[in-house]
Amino acid sequence: PGVELGGARARNHVKVENGVDAAGDLTVSRRVAAGDDVLLDARDGNLLVNAAVDAGAQAGDDLTLLASLGITQNADITAGGTIDVEAFGGSVTMADGTASRTLGGNIRYAAAGDVTLGVLDARTAADRAGGTLDEQANWGDVRVIAGGNILDAHADDMGHDEEGFIDPLGTRIVNVYADGAQFAAGGTLGAAGVFDADGHTILAAGN
């Protein structure tokens, strides 16, 4: 049997672990908010994030999502510190339009299967608000690791400009904002649409 988390608020930490005694999914159905760290761990099942999850707004306030199977993210998550998301036995799937945001903290997404990206945003608050690059050296790093493919939830359609260079058709959605970004896939990169990254240093490896 699964467990539904119908919201949680805490001045300090929120820690929820499901599957300790029996297998089952953990579903977040209403907002989870903490003044410090947040840990949601589906130890013997899937994790479904259907409502916002917010850690504290300070540099040391981290957010961690773990699952023994897969993780589906249908809502935004935020942290002042780092964000760490890992599916040990399945895929991580962000719905189109969802975002994971820090205030200059690092972001890591990892899965045994595919990782499908919405937006991973490690910008500072000032650059995010102003749409600028002034503090890019202070943005966090982003790392995405997939045993399968790394995909774009938005599935951007790409064409070519007058000079033959690749040009997005319609509104361009940037998938990753980071100072440095690293992508490693056992399969392909961007198979369901080219994904876009904005960073000083970008390393990508895939088959």
Side-chain angles (χ1 to χ4, degrees), residues 123 126-133:
R123 289 178 290 182
D127 277 348
R128 183 178 297 124
T132 59
L133 302 173

PDB file of all heavy atoms in Angstrom, residues 123 126-133:
ATOM      1  N   ARG A 123      20.378  29.625 -10.539  1.00  0.00           N
ATOM      2  CA  ARG A 123      20.782  31.030 -10.547  1.00  0.00           C
ATOM      3  C   ARG A 123      20.653  31.665  -9.160  1.00  0.00           C
ATOM      4  O   ARG A 123      19.955  31.151  -8.283  1.00  0.00           O
ATOM      5  CB  ARG A 123      19.912  31.818 -11.523  1.00  0.00           C
ATOM      6  CG  ARG A 123      20.177  31.513 -12.977  1.00  0.00           C
ATOM      7  CD  ARG A 123      19.262  32.291 -13.908  1.00  0.00           C
ATOM      8  NE  ARG A 123      17.881  31.815 -13.832  1.00  0.00           N
ATOM      9  CZ  ARG A 123      16.892  32.295 -14.561  1.00  0.00           C
ATOM     10  NH1 ARG A 123      17.123  33.288 -15.411  1.00  0.00           N
ATOM     11  NH2 ARG A 123      15.668  31.801 -14.447  1.00  0.00           N
ATOM     12  N   ALA A 126      18.998  37.437  -7.638  1.00  0.00           N
ATOM     13  CA  ALA A 126      19.063  38.693  -8.392  1.00  0.00           C
ATOM     14  C   ALA A 126      19.056  38.446  -9.897  1.00  0.00           C
ATOM     15  O   ALA A 126      18.338  39.118 -10.646  1.00  0.00           O
ATOM     16  CB  ALA A 126      20.309  39.474  -7.990  1.00  0.00           C
ATOM     17  N   ASP A 127      19.835  37.479 -10.361  1.00  0.00           N
ATOM     18  CA  ASP A 127      19.876  37.195 -11.796  1.00  0.00           C
ATOM     19  C   ASP A 127      18.572  36.576 -12.285  1.00  0.00           C
ATOM     20  O   ASP A 127      18.124  36.832 -13.410  1.00  0.00           O
ATOM     21  CB  ASP A 127      21.047  36.263 -12.122  1.00  0.00           C
ATOM     22  CG  ASP A 127      22.359  37.013 -12.278  1.00  0.00           C
ATOM     23  OD1 ASP A 127      22.333  38.252 -12.356  1.00  0.00           O
ATOM     24  OD2 ASP A 127      23.416  36.361 -12.320  1.00  0.00           O
ATOM     25  N   ARG A 128      17.949  35.769 -11.443  1.00  0.00           N
ATOM     26  CA  ARG A 128      16.666  35.178 -11.833  1.00  0.00           C
ATOM     27  C   ARG A 128      15.601  36.270 -11.981  1.00  0.00           C
ATOM     28  O   ARG A 128      14.839  36.275 -12.944  1.00  0.00           O
ATOM     29  CB  ARG A 128      16.227  34.139 -10.816  1.00  0.00           C
ATOM     30  CG  ARG A 128      14.918  33.422 -11.181  1.00  0.00           C
ATOM     31  CD  ARG A 128      14.546  32.367 -10.148  1.00  0.00           C
ATOM     32  NE  ARG A 128      15.547  31.316 -10.101  1.00  0.00           N
ATOM     33  CZ  ARG A 128      16.207  30.951  -8.995  1.00  0.00           C
ATOM     34  NH1 ARG A 128      15.968  31.556  -7.839  1.00  0.00           N
ATOM     35  NH2 ARG A 128      17.094  29.989  -9.050  1.00  0.00           N
ATOM     36  N   ALA A 129      15.570  37.173 -11.018  1.00  0.00           N
ATOM     37  CA  ALA A 129      14.565  38.241 -11.056  1.00  0.00           C
ATOM     38  C   ALA A 129      14.796  39.194 -12.221  1.00  0.00           C
ATOM     39  O   ALA A 129      13.842  39.658 -12.853  1.00  0.00           O
ATOM     40  CB  ALA A 129      14.569  39.004  -9.737  1.00  0.00           C
ATOM     41  N   GLY A 130      16.067  39.477 -12.508  1.00  0.00           N
ATOM     42  CA  GLY A 130      16.373  40.456 -13.548  1.00  0.00           C
ATOM     43  C   GLY A 130      16.605  39.861 -14.917  1.00  0.00           C
ATOM     44  O   GLY A 130      16.760  40.607 -15.898  1.00  0.00           O
ATOM     45  N   GLY A 131      16.658  38.521 -15.009  1.00  0.00           N
ATOM     46  CA  GLY A 131      16.959  37.902 -16.285  1.00  0.00           C
ATOM     47  C   GLY A 131      18.346  38.239 -16.792  1.00  0.00           C
ATOM     48  O   GLY A 131      18.586  38.347 -17.990  1.00  0.00           O
ATOM     49  N   THR A 132      19.305  38.378 -15.832  1.00  0.00           N
ATOM     50  CA  THR A 132      20.659  38.815 -16.172  1.00  0.00           C
ATOM     51  C   THR A 132      21.672  37.703 -15.919  1.00  0.00           C
ATOM     52  O   THR A 132      21.361  36.663 -15.345  1.00  0.00           O
ATOM     53  CB  THR A 132      21.039  40.037 -15.327  1.00  0.00           C
ATOM     54  OG1 THR A 132      20.965  39.688 -13.932  1.00  0.00           O
ATOM     55  CG2 THR A 132      20.093  41.196 -15.603  1.00  0.00           C
ATOM     56  N   LEU A 133      22.918  37.974 -16.350  1.00  0.00           N
ATOM     57  CA  LEU A 133      24.045  37.054 -16.138  1.00  0.00           C
ATOM     58  C   LEU A 133      25.102  37.664 -15.223  1.00  0.00           C
ATOM     59  O   LEU A 133      26.211  37.157 -15.133  1.00  0.00           O
ATOM     60  CB  LEU A 133      24.693  36.699 -17.486  1.00  0.00           C
ATOM     61  CG  LEU A 133      23.793  36.068 -18.546  1.00  0.00           C
ATOM     62  CD1 LEU A 133      24.551  35.941 -19.857  1.00  0.00           C
ATOM     63  CD2 LEU A 133      23.303  34.710 -18.087  1.00  0.00           C
TER      64      LEU A 133
END
